[in-house]
PDB file of all heavy atoms in Angstrom:
ATOM      1  N   GLY L   1       0.251  10.622 -19.074  1.00 98.00           N
ATOM      2  CA  GLY L   1       0.986   9.704 -19.932  1.00 98.00           C
ATOM      3  C   GLY L   1       2.351   9.333 -19.403  1.00 98.00           C
ATOM      4  O   GLY L   1       3.010   8.423 -19.938  1.00 98.00           O
ATOM      5  N   GLY L   2       2.783  10.006 -18.354  1.00 98.00           N
ATOM      6  CA  GLY L   2       4.099   9.748 -17.790  1.00 98.00           C
ATOM      7  C   GLY L   2       4.106   8.597 -16.797  1.00 98.00           C
ATOM      8  O   GLY L   2       3.119   7.874 -16.647  1.00 98.00           O
ATOM      9  N   SER L   3       5.252   8.448 -16.123  1.00 98.00           N
ATOM     10  CA  SER L   3       5.442   7.345 -15.180  1.00 98.00           C
ATOM     11  C   SER L   3       6.009   7.845 -13.865  1.00 98.00           C
ATOM     12  O   SER L   3       6.681   8.877 -13.815  1.00 98.00           O
ATOM     13  CB  SER L   3       6.398   6.307 -15.774  1.00 98.00           C
ATOM     14  OG  SER L   3       5.883   5.745 -16.958  1.00 98.00           O
ATOM     15  N   LEU L   4       5.731   7.061 -12.827  1.00 97.00           N
ATOM     16  CA  LEU L   4       6.215   7.380 -11.491  1.00 97.00           C
ATOM     17  C   LEU L   4       6.297   6.070 -10.727  1.00 97.00           C
ATOM     18  O   LEU L   4       5.485   5.165 -10.954  1.00 97.00           O
ATOM     19  CB  LEU L   4       5.226   8.324 -10.801  1.00 97.00           C
ATOM     20  CG  LEU L   4       5.692   9.330  -9.762  1.00 97.00           C
ATOM     21  CD1 LEU L   4       6.722  10.277 -10.379  1.00 97.00           C
ATOM     22  CD2 LEU L   4       4.519  10.121  -9.214  1.00 97.00           C
ATOM     23  N   LYS L   5       7.269   5.963  -9.827  1.00 98.00           N
ATOM     24  CA  LYS L   5       7.372   4.760  -9.006  1.00 98.00           C
ATOM     25  C   LYS L   5       7.398   5.143  -7.536  1.00 98.00           C
ATOM     26  O   LYS L   5       8.272   5.894  -7.097  1.00 98.00           O
ATOM     27  CB  LYS L   5       8.621   3.951  -9.354  1.00 98.00           C
ATOM     28  CG  LYS L   5       8.688   2.608  -8.638  1.00 98.00           C
ATOM     29  CD  LYS L   5       9.821   1.747  -9.146  1.00 98.00           C
ATOM     30  CE  LYS L   5       9.829   0.368  -8.485  1.00 98.00           C
ATOM     31  NZ  LYS L   5      10.905  -0.514  -9.025  1.00 98.00           N
ATOM     32  N   LEU L   6       6.434   4.621  -6.793  1.00 98.00           N
ATOM     33  CA  LEU L   6       6.343   4.869  -5.364  1.00 98.00           C
ATOM     34  C   LEU L   6       7.012   3.730  -4.602  1.00 98.00           C
ATOM     35  O   LEU L   6       6.962   2.576  -5.024  1.00 98.00           O
ATOM     36  CB  LEU L   6       4.886   4.982  -4.925  1.00 98.00           C
ATOM     37  CG  LEU L   6       4.001   5.983  -5.674  1.00 98.00           C
ATOM     38  CD1 LEU L   6       2.602   6.012  -5.064  1.00 98.00           C
ATOM     39  CD2 LEU L   6       4.616   7.356  -5.668  1.00 98.00           C
ATOM     40  N   SER L   7       7.614   4.079  -3.464  1.00 97.00           N
ATOM     41  CA  SER L   7       8.219   3.092  -2.583  1.00 97.00           C
ATOM     42  C   SER L   7       7.686   3.292  -1.174  1.00 97.00           C
ATOM     43  O   SER L   7       7.334   4.403  -0.779  1.00 97.00           O
ATOM     44  CB  SER L   7       9.742   3.235  -2.566  1.00 97.00           C
ATOM     45  OG  SER L   7      10.292   3.060  -3.844  1.00 97.00           O
ATOM     46  N   CYS L   8       7.640   2.194  -0.440  1.00 96.00           N
ATOM     47  CA  CYS L   8       7.201   2.253   0.955  1.00 96.00           C
ATOM     48  C   CYS L   8       8.052   1.264   1.735  1.00 96.00           C
ATOM     49  O   CYS L   8       8.036   0.061   1.438  1.00 96.00           O
ATOM     50  CB  CYS L   8       5.728   1.883   1.054  1.00 96.00           C
ATOM     51  SG  CYS L   8       5.135   1.612   2.734  1.00 96.00           S
ATOM     52  N   ALA L   9       8.790   1.768   2.711  1.00 94.00           N
ATOM     53  CA  ALA L   9       9.699   0.920   3.470  1.00 94.00           C
ATOM     54  C   ALA L   9       9.367   0.939   4.953  1.00 94.00           C
ATOM     55  O   ALA L   9       9.085   2.005   5.523  1.00 94.00           O
ATOM     56  CB  ALA L   9      11.132   1.393   3.263  1.00 94.00           C
ATOM     57  N   GLY L  10       9.422  -0.233   5.566  1.00 90.00           N
ATOM     58  CA  GLY L  10       9.211  -0.320   7.003  1.00 90.00           C
ATOM     59  C   GLY L  10      10.478   0.039   7.752  1.00 90.00           C
ATOM     60  O   GLY L  10      11.586  -0.217   7.283  1.00 90.00           O
ATOM     61  N   SER L  11      10.307   0.626   8.933  1.00 88.00           N
ATOM     62  CA  SER L  11      11.459   1.093   9.709  1.00 88.00           C
ATOM     63  C   SER L  11      12.185  -0.049  10.417  1.00 88.00           C
ATOM     64  O   SER L  11      13.313   0.120  10.869  1.00 88.00           O
ATOM     65  CB  SER L  11      10.998   2.119  10.758  1.00 88.00           C
ATOM     66  OG  SER L  11      10.034   1.529  11.633  1.00 88.00           O
ATOM     67  N   GLU L  12      11.524  -1.208  10.522  1.00 85.00           N
ATOM     68  CA  GLU L  12      12.151  -2.371  11.124  1.00 85.00           C
ATOM     69  C   GLU L  12      11.507  -3.632  10.563  1.00 85.00           C
ATOM     70  O   GLU L  12      10.524  -3.562   9.829  1.00 85.00           O
ATOM     71  CB  GLU L  12      12.006  -2.328  12.643  1.00 85.00           C
ATOM     72  CG  GLU L  12      10.561  -2.277  13.147  1.00 85.00           C
ATOM     73  CD  GLU L  12      10.482  -2.059  14.645  1.00 85.00           C
ATOM     74  OE1 GLU L  12      10.706  -0.924  15.093  1.00 85.00           O
ATOM     75  OE2 GLU L  12      10.194  -3.047  15.349  1.00 85.00           O
ATOM     76  N   ARG L  13      12.087  -4.755  10.921  1.00 85.00           N
ATOM     77  CA  ARG L  13      11.607  -6.028  10.401  1.00 85.00           C
ATOM     78  C   ARG L  13      10.153  -6.257  10.813  1.00 85.00           C
ATOM     79  O   ARG L  13       9.787  -6.046  11.967  1.00 85.00           O
ATOM     80  CB  ARG L  13      12.476  -7.158  10.941  1.00 85.00           C
ATOM     81  CG  ARG L  13      12.107  -8.541  10.430  1.00 85.00           C
ATOM     82  CD  ARG L  13      12.503  -8.736   9.001  1.00 85.00           C
ATOM     83  NE  ARG L  13      12.097 -10.035   8.482  1.00 85.00           N
ATOM     84  CZ  ARG L  13      12.857 -11.124   8.524  1.00 85.00           C
ATOM     85  NH1 ARG L  13      14.059 -11.076   9.063  1.00 85.00           N
ATOM     86  NH2 ARG L  13      12.401 -12.259   8.023  1.00 85.00           N
ATOM     87  N   ILE L  14       9.347  -6.689   9.844  1.00 84.00           N
ATOM     88  CA  ILE L  14       7.945  -7.040  10.088  1.00 84.00           C
ATOM     89  C   ILE L  14       7.783  -8.525   9.807  1.00 84.00           C
ATOM     90  O   ILE L  14       8.014  -8.975   8.689  1.00 84.00           O
ATOM     91  CB  ILE L  14       6.992  -6.220   9.193  1.00 84.00           C
ATOM     92  CG1 ILE L  14       7.187  -4.728   9.424  1.00 84.00           C
ATOM     93  CG2 ILE L  14       5.534  -6.607   9.473  1.00 84.00           C
ATOM     94  CD1 ILE L  14       6.403  -3.848   8.462  1.00 84.00           C
ATOM     95  N   PHE L  15       7.404  -9.265  10.820  1.00 84.00           N
ATOM     96  CA  PHE L  15       7.293 -10.715  10.679  1.00 84.00           C
ATOM     97  C   PHE L  15       5.890 -11.126  10.234  1.00 84.00           C
ATOM     98  O   PHE L  15       4.919 -10.458  10.525  1.00 84.00           O
ATOM     99  CB  PHE L  15       7.633 -11.397  12.006  1.00 84.00           C
ATOM    100  CG  PHE L  15       9.066 -11.234  12.409  1.00 84.00           C
ATOM    101  CD1 PHE L  15       9.451 -10.191  13.238  1.00 84.00           C
ATOM    102  CD2 PHE L  15      10.043 -12.104  11.953  1.00 84.00           C
ATOM    103  CE1 PHE L  15      10.769 -10.009  13.609  1.00 84.00           C
ATOM    104  CE2 PHE L  15      11.372 -11.940  12.318  1.00 84.00           C
ATOM    105  CZ  PHE L  15      11.737 -10.892  13.142  1.00 84.00           C
ATOM    106  N   SER L  16       5.831 -12.232   9.529  1.00 88.00           N
ATOM    107  CA  SER L  16       4.562 -12.845   9.143  1.00 88.00           C
ATOM    108  C   SER L  16       3.625 -11.850   8.459  1.00 88.00           C
ATOM    109  O   SER L  16       2.512 -11.591   8.925  1.00 88.00           O
ATOM    110  CB  SER L  16       3.875 -13.457  10.368  1.00 88.00           C
ATOM    111  OG  SER L  16       4.704 -14.424  10.962  1.00 88.00           O
ATOM    112  N   ILE L  17       4.110 -11.290   7.362  1.00 87.00           N
ATOM    113  CA  ILE L  17       3.288 -10.347   6.585  1.00 87.00           C
ATOM    114  C   ILE L  17       2.219 -11.124   5.818  1.00 87.00           C
ATOM    115  O   ILE L  17       2.514 -12.110   5.146  1.00 87.00           O
ATOM    116  CB  ILE L  17       4.165  -9.540   5.617  1.00 87.00           C
ATOM    117  CG1 ILE L  17       5.088  -8.598   6.413  1.00 87.00           C
ATOM    118  CG2 ILE L  17       3.309  -8.746   4.645  1.00 87.00           C
ATOM    119  CD1 ILE L  17       6.088  -7.849   5.558  1.00 87.00           C
ATOM    120  N   TYR L  18       0.985 -10.656   5.931  1.00 92.00           N
ATOM    121  CA  TYR L  18      -0.113 -11.261   5.166  1.00 92.00           C
ATOM    122  C   TYR L  18      -0.211 -10.632   3.774  1.00 92.00           C
ATOM    123  O   TYR L  18      -0.331 -11.332   2.778  1.00 92.00           O
ATOM    124  CB  TYR L  18      -1.452 -11.073   5.877  1.00 92.00           C
ATOM    125  CG  TYR L  18      -1.562 -11.748   7.226  1.00 92.00           C
ATOM    126  CD1 TYR L  18      -2.256 -11.146   8.270  1.00 92.00           C
ATOM    127  CD2 TYR L  18      -0.993 -12.995   7.458  1.00 92.00           C
ATOM    128  CE1 TYR L  18      -2.369 -11.764   9.498  1.00 92.00           C
ATOM    129  CE2 TYR L  18      -1.098 -13.615   8.683  1.00 92.00           C
ATOM    130  CZ  TYR L  18      -1.786 -12.990   9.697  1.00 92.00           C
ATOM    131  OH  TYR L  18      -1.892 -13.606  10.919  1.00 92.00           O
ATOM    132  N   SER L  19      -0.196  -9.313   3.741  1.00 93.00           N
ATOM    133  CA  SER L  19      -0.322  -8.614   2.474  1.00 93.00           C
ATOM    134  C   SER L  19       0.243  -7.207   2.575  1.00 93.00           C
ATOM    135  O   SER L  19       0.392  -6.655   3.671  1.00 93.00           O
ATOM    136  CB  SER L  19      -1.799  -8.533   2.054  1.00 93.00           C
ATOM    137  OG  SER L  19      -2.536  -7.737   2.961  1.00 93.00           O
ATOM    138  N   MET L  20       0.544  -6.662   1.417  1.00 95.00           N
ATOM    139  CA  MET L  20       0.995  -5.280   1.297  1.00 95.00           C
ATOM    140  C   MET L  20       0.065  -4.614   0.301  1.00 95.00           C
ATOM    141  O   MET L  20      -0.243  -5.199  -0.746  1.00 95.00           O
ATOM    142  CB  MET L  20       2.437  -5.218   0.805  1.00 95.00           C
ATOM    143  CG  MET L  20       3.428  -5.847   1.767  1.00 95.00           C
ATOM    144  SD  MET L  20       5.085  -5.915   1.019  1.00 95.00           S
ATOM    145  CE  MET L  20       6.119  -5.744   2.451  1.00 95.00           C
ATOM    146  N   ARG L  21      -0.378  -3.400   0.596  1.00 97.00           N
ATOM    147  CA  ARG L  21      -1.371  -2.745  -0.248  1.00 97.00           C
ATOM    148  C   ARG L  21      -1.051  -1.277  -0.462  1.00 97.00           C
ATOM    149  O   ARG L  21      -0.359  -0.658   0.351  1.00 97.00           O
ATOM    150  CB  ARG L  21      -2.765  -2.864   0.399  1.00 97.00           C
ATOM    151  CG  ARG L  21      -3.219  -4.297   0.605  1.00 97.00           C
ATOM    152  CD  ARG L  21      -4.615  -4.380   1.201  1.00 97.00           C
ATOM    153  NE  ARG L  21      -4.676  -3.920   2.571  1.00 97.00           N
ATOM    154  CZ  ARG L  21      -5.793  -3.862   3.287  1.00 97.00           C
ATOM    155  NH1 ARG L  21      -6.947  -4.200   2.734  1.00 97.00           N
ATOM    156  NH2 ARG L  21      -5.754  -3.448   4.534  1.00 97.00           N
ATOM    157  N   TRP L  22      -1.560  -0.743  -1.535  1.00 98.00           N
ATOM    158  CA  TRP L  22      -1.533   0.689  -1.807  1.00 98.00           C
ATOM    159  C   TRP L  22      -2.969   1.172  -1.890  1.00 98.00           C
ATOM    160  O   TRP L  22      -3.799   0.571  -2.576  1.00 98.00           O
ATOM    161  CB  TRP L  22      -0.808   1.009  -3.105  1.00 98.00           C
ATOM    162  CG  TRP L  22       0.673   0.911  -3.016  1.00 98.00           C
ATOM    163  CD1 TRP L  22       1.459  -0.143  -3.366  1.00 98.00           C
ATOM    164  CD2 TRP L  22       1.561   1.918  -2.538  1.00 98.00           C
ATOM    165  NE1 TRP L  22       2.777   0.141  -3.140  1.00 98.00           N
ATOM    166  CE2 TRP L  22       2.874   1.408  -2.630  1.00 98.00           C
ATOM    167  CE3 TRP L  22       1.392   3.223  -2.045  1.00 98.00           C
ATOM    168  CZ2 TRP L  22       4.005   2.129  -2.239  1.00 98.00           C
ATOM    169  CZ3 TRP L  22       2.510   3.941  -1.662  1.00 98.00           C
ATOM    170  CH2 TRP L  22       3.797   3.398  -1.760  1.00 98.00           C
ATOM    171  N   PHE L  23      -3.244   2.271  -1.208  1.00 98.00           N
ATOM    172  CA  PHE L  23      -4.517   2.968  -1.271  1.00 98.00           C
ATOM    173  C   PHE L  23      -4.260   4.373  -1.810  1.00 98.00           C
ATOM    174  O   PHE L  23      -3.122   4.849  -1.806  1.00 98.00           O
ATOM    175  CB  PHE L  23      -5.132   3.101   0.131  1.00 98.00           C
ATOM    176  CG  PHE L  23      -5.643   1.824   0.716  1.00 98.00           C
ATOM    177  CD1 PHE L  23      -4.775   0.904   1.298  1.00 98.00           C
ATOM    178  CD2 PHE L  23      -6.996   1.531   0.747  1.00 98.00           C
ATOM    179  CE1 PHE L  23      -5.228  -0.270   1.864  1.00 98.00           C
ATOM    180  CE2 PHE L  23      -7.475   0.364   1.318  1.00 98.00           C
ATOM    181  CZ  PHE L  23      -6.586  -0.530   1.875  1.00 98.00           C
ATOM    182  N   ARG L  24      -5.320   5.031  -2.219  1.00 98.00           N
ATOM    183  CA  ARG L  24      -5.201   6.437  -2.583  1.00 98.00           C
ATOM    184  C   ARG L  24      -6.465   7.178  -2.178  1.00 98.00           C
ATOM    185  O   ARG L  24      -7.537   6.585  -2.073  1.00 98.00           O
ATOM    186  CB  ARG L  24      -4.933   6.622  -4.076  1.00 98.00           C
ATOM    187  CG  ARG L  24      -6.084   6.218  -5.001  1.00 98.00           C
ATOM    188  CD  ARG L  24      -5.637   6.334  -6.449  1.00 98.00           C
ATOM    189  NE  ARG L  24      -6.708   5.971  -7.374  1.00 98.00           N
ATOM    190  CZ  ARG L  24      -6.526   5.866  -8.695  1.00 98.00           C
ATOM    191  NH1 ARG L  24      -5.328   6.092  -9.236  1.00 98.00           N
ATOM    192  NH2 ARG L  24      -7.556   5.534  -9.472  1.00 98.00           N
ATOM    193  N   GLN L  25      -6.305   8.472  -1.949  1.00 98.00           N
ATOM    194  CA  GLN L  25      -7.430   9.299  -1.556  1.00 98.00           C
ATOM    195  C   GLN L  25      -7.350  10.638  -2.265  1.00 98.00           C
ATOM    196  O   GLN L  25      -6.532  11.494  -1.904  1.00 98.00           O
ATOM    197  CB  GLN L  25      -7.455   9.505  -0.039  1.00 98.00           C
ATOM    198  CG  GLN L  25      -8.689  10.233   0.455  1.00 98.00           C
ATOM    199  CD  GLN L  25      -8.832  10.165   1.956  1.00 98.00           C
ATOM    200  OE1 GLN L  25      -7.872   9.887   2.684  1.00 98.00           O
ATOM    201  NE2 GLN L  25     -10.041  10.406   2.445  1.00 98.00           N
ATOM    202  N   PRO L  26      -8.169  10.814  -3.289  1.00 97.00           N
ATOM    203  CA  PRO L  26      -8.230  12.130  -3.936  1.00 97.00           C
ATOM    204  C   PRO L  26      -8.840  13.143  -2.973  1.00 97.00           C
ATOM    205  O   PRO L  26      -9.622  12.777  -2.082  1.00 97.00           O
ATOM    206  CB  PRO L  26      -9.154  11.889  -5.139  1.00 97.00           C
ATOM    207  CG  PRO L  26      -9.161  10.403  -5.335  1.00 97.00           C
ATOM    208  CD  PRO L  26      -9.008   9.823  -3.969  1.00 97.00           C
ATOM    209  N   THR L  27      -8.511  14.374  -3.146  1.00 96.00           N
ATOM    210  CA  THR L  27      -9.025  15.433  -2.278  1.00 96.00           C
ATOM    211  C   THR L  27     -10.544  15.438  -2.287  1.00 96.00           C
ATOM    212  O   THR L  27     -11.170  15.457  -3.344  1.00 96.00           O
ATOM    213  CB  THR L  27      -8.509  16.804  -2.742  1.00 96.00           C
ATOM    214  OG1 THR L  27      -7.074  16.777  -2.728  1.00 96.00           O
ATOM    215  CG2 THR L  27      -8.992  17.898  -1.807  1.00 96.00           C
ATOM    216  N   GLY L  28     -11.131  15.385  -1.104  1.00 96.00           N
ATOM    217  CA  GLY L  28     -12.577  15.432  -0.983  1.00 96.00           C
ATOM    218  C   GLY L  28     -13.291  14.128  -1.254  1.00 96.00           C
ATOM    219  O   GLY L  28     -14.527  14.089  -1.259  1.00 96.00           O
ATOM    220  N   LYS L  29     -12.527  13.060  -1.483  1.00 97.00           N
ATOM    221  CA  LYS L  29     -13.144  11.769  -1.777  1.00 97.00           C
ATOM    222  C   LYS L  29     -12.685  10.716  -0.780  1.00 97.00           C
ATOM    223  O   LYS L  29     -11.774  10.943   0.001  1.00 97.00           O
ATOM    224  CB  LYS L  29     -12.816  11.336  -3.208  1.00 97.00           C
ATOM    225  CG  LYS L  29     -13.362  12.273  -4.268  1.00 97.00           C
ATOM    226  CD  LYS L  29     -13.098  11.723  -5.656  1.00 97.00           C
ATOM    227  CE  LYS L  29     -13.666  12.638  -6.728  1.00 97.00           C
ATOM    228  NZ  LYS L  29     -13.426  12.115  -8.104  1.00 97.00           N
ATOM    229  N   GLN L  30     -13.327   9.550  -0.831  1.00 97.00           N
ATOM    230  CA  GLN L  30     -12.967   8.473   0.081  1.00 97.00           C
ATOM    231  C   GLN L  30     -11.703   7.758  -0.368  1.00 97.00           C
ATOM    232  O   GLN L  30     -11.359   7.750  -1.553  1.00 97.00           O
ATOM    233  CB  GLN L  30     -14.132   7.476   0.165  1.00 97.00           C
ATOM    234  CG  GLN L  30     -15.352   8.012   0.892  1.00 97.00           C
ATOM    235  CD  GLN L  30     -16.404   6.937   1.112  1.00 97.00           C
ATOM    236  OE1 GLN L  30     -16.490   5.966   0.366  1.00 97.00           O
ATOM    237  NE2 GLN L  30     -17.196   7.102   2.152  1.00 97.00           N
ATOM    238  N   ARG L  31     -11.042   7.162   0.608  1.00 97.00           N
ATOM    239  CA  ARG L  31      -9.863   6.364   0.308  1.00 97.00           C
ATOM    240  C   ARG L  31     -10.285   5.106  -0.440  1.00 97.00           C
ATOM    241  O   ARG L  31     -11.297   4.485  -0.106  1.00 97.00           O
ATOM    242  CB  ARG L  31      -9.143   6.003   1.606  1.00 97.00           C
ATOM    243  CG  ARG L  31      -7.798   5.353   1.436  1.00 97.00           C
ATOM    244  CD  ARG L  31      -7.107   5.133   2.755  1.00 97.00           C
ATOM    245  NE  ARG L  31      -6.857   6.377   3.456  1.00 97.00           N
ATOM    246  CZ  ARG L  31      -6.115   6.471   4.555  1.00 97.00           C
ATOM    247  NH1 ARG L  31      -5.556   5.385   5.084  1.00 97.00           N
ATOM    248  NH2 ARG L  31      -5.940   7.628   5.153  1.00 97.00           N
ATOM    249  N   GLU L  32      -9.515   4.729  -1.450  1.00 98.00           N
ATOM    250  CA  GLU L  32      -9.829   3.539  -2.230  1.00 98.00           C
ATOM    251  C   GLU L  32      -8.606   2.641  -2.356  1.00 98.00           C
ATOM    252  O   GLU L  32      -7.465   3.120  -2.393  1.00 98.00           O
ATOM    253  CB  GLU L  32     -10.336   3.925  -3.626  1.00 98.00           C
ATOM    254  CG  GLU L  32      -9.351   4.689  -4.464  1.00 98.00           C
ATOM    255  CD  GLU L  32      -9.879   4.984  -5.871  1.00 98.00           C
ATOM    256  OE1 GLU L  32     -10.957   4.500  -6.230  1.00 98.00           O
ATOM    257  OE2 GLU L  32      -9.170   5.706  -6.602  1.00 98.00           O
ATOM    258  N   LEU L  33      -8.867   1.348  -2.441  1.00 98.00           N
ATOM    259  CA  LEU L  33      -7.798   0.377  -2.606  1.00 98.00           C
ATOM    260  C   LEU L  33      -7.346   0.364  -4.060  1.00 98.00           C
ATOM    261  O   LEU L  33      -8.167   0.237  -4.969  1.00 98.00           O
ATOM    262  CB  LEU L  33      -8.299  -1.012  -2.194  1.00 98.00           C
ATOM    263  CG  LEU L  33      -7.328  -2.170  -2.353  1.00 98.00           C
ATOM    264  CD1 LEU L  33      -6.078  -1.972  -1.503  1.00 98.00           C
ATOM    265  CD2 LEU L  33      -8.008  -3.482  -1.998  1.00 98.00           C
ATOM    266  N   VAL L  34      -6.049   0.484  -4.261  1.00 98.00           N
ATOM    267  CA  VAL L  34      -5.477   0.529  -5.612  1.00 98.00           C
ATOM    268  C   VAL L  34      -4.911  -0.833  -6.007  1.00 98.00           C
ATOM    269  O   VAL L  34      -5.186  -1.330  -7.101  1.00 98.00           O
ATOM    270  CB  VAL L  34      -4.376   1.598  -5.700  1.00 98.00           C
ATOM    271  CG1 VAL L  34      -3.694   1.556  -7.058  1.00 98.00           C
ATOM    272  CG2 VAL L  34      -4.946   2.976  -5.412  1.00 98.00           C
ATOM    273  N   ALA L  35      -4.101  -1.416  -5.127  1.00 98.00           N
ATOM    274  CA  ALA L  35      -3.439  -2.670  -5.468  1.00 98.00           C
ATOM    275  C   ALA L  35      -3.054  -3.414  -4.197  1.00 98.00           C
ATOM    276  O   ALA L  35      -2.785  -2.789  -3.165  1.00 98.00           O
ATOM    277  CB  ALA L  35      -2.203  -2.415  -6.322  1.00 98.00           C
ATOM    278  N   THR L  36      -3.036  -4.726  -4.312  1.00 98.00           N
ATOM    279  CA  THR L  36      -2.660  -5.616  -3.211  1.00 98.00           C
ATOM    280  C   THR L  36      -1.682  -6.653  -3.722  1.00 98.00           C
ATOM    281  O   THR L  36      -1.816  -7.137  -4.855  1.00 98.00           O
ATOM    282  CB  THR L  36      -3.898  -6.354  -2.660  1.00 98.00           C
ATOM    283  OG1 THR L  36      -4.857  -5.406  -2.192  1.00 98.00           O
ATOM    284  CG2 THR L  36      -3.526  -7.289  -1.519  1.00 98.00           C
ATOM    285  N   ILE L  37      -0.703  -6.989  -2.888  1.00 97.00           N
ATOM    286  CA  ILE L  37       0.166  -8.118  -3.191  1.00 97.00           C
ATOM    287  C   ILE L  37       0.237  -8.989  -1.948  1.00 97.00           C
ATOM    288  O   ILE L  37       0.499  -8.498  -0.846  1.00 97.00           O
ATOM    289  CB  ILE L  37       1.555  -7.672  -3.688  1.00 97.00           C
ATOM    290  CG1 ILE L  37       2.359  -8.890  -4.164  1.00 97.00           C
ATOM    291  CG2 ILE L  37       2.304  -6.871  -2.635  1.00 97.00           C
ATOM    292  CD1 ILE L  37       3.569  -8.506  -5.010  1.00 97.00           C
ATOM    293  N   THR L  38      -0.043 -10.269  -2.120  1.00 94.00           N
ATOM    294  CA  THR L  38      -0.063 -11.176  -0.974  1.00 94.00           C
ATOM    295  C   THR L  38       1.352 -11.645  -0.627  1.00 94.00           C
ATOM    296  O   THR L  38       2.314 -11.385  -1.361  1.00 94.00           O
ATOM    297  CB  THR L  38      -0.925 -12.400  -1.276  1.00 94.00           C
ATOM    298  OG1 THR L  38      -0.305 -13.136  -2.350  1.00 94.00           O
ATOM    299  CG2 THR L  38      -2.325 -11.998  -1.688  1.00 94.00           C
ATOM    300  N   ASN L  39       1.446 -12.366   0.469  1.00 89.00           N
ATOM    301  CA  ASN L  39       2.741 -12.893   0.885  1.00 89.00           C
ATOM    302  C   ASN L  39       3.327 -13.809  -0.181  1.00 89.00           C
ATOM    303  O   ASN L  39       4.549 -13.869  -0.358  1.00 89.00           O
ATOM    304  CB  ASN L  39       2.577 -13.629   2.204  1.00 89.00           C
ATOM    305  CG  ASN L  39       3.900 -14.093   2.774  1.00 89.00           C
ATOM    306  OD1 ASN L  39       4.862 -13.335   2.799  1.00 89.00           O
ATOM    307  ND2 ASN L  39       3.967 -15.330   3.198  1.00 89.00           N
TER     308      ASN L  39
END
């Protein structure tokens, strides 16, 4: 029921980004796509 905010920062400038995505992988399971945001 609580909240959390994740951040992800690039170490340098990234040009011409198509999309940014978050995936997750529970222990023992496959990685799954959680969310996508386009350019």
Side-chain angles (χ1 to χ4, degrees):
S3 298
L4 210 59
K5 187 172 184 177
L6 307 183
S7 300
C8 169
S11 59
E12 59 187 76
R13 182 73 183 269
I14 302 173
F15 293 93
S16 301
I17 292 175
Y18 297 143
S19 65
M20 297 173 149
R21 300 182 291 178
W22 284 96
F23 289 80
R24 67 185 181 187
Q25 186 168 19
T27 302
K29 297 185 179 180
Q30 290 188 334
R31 189 175 299 189
E32 61 177 354
L33 178 61
V34 175
T36 301
I37 187 164
T38 65
N39 186 46

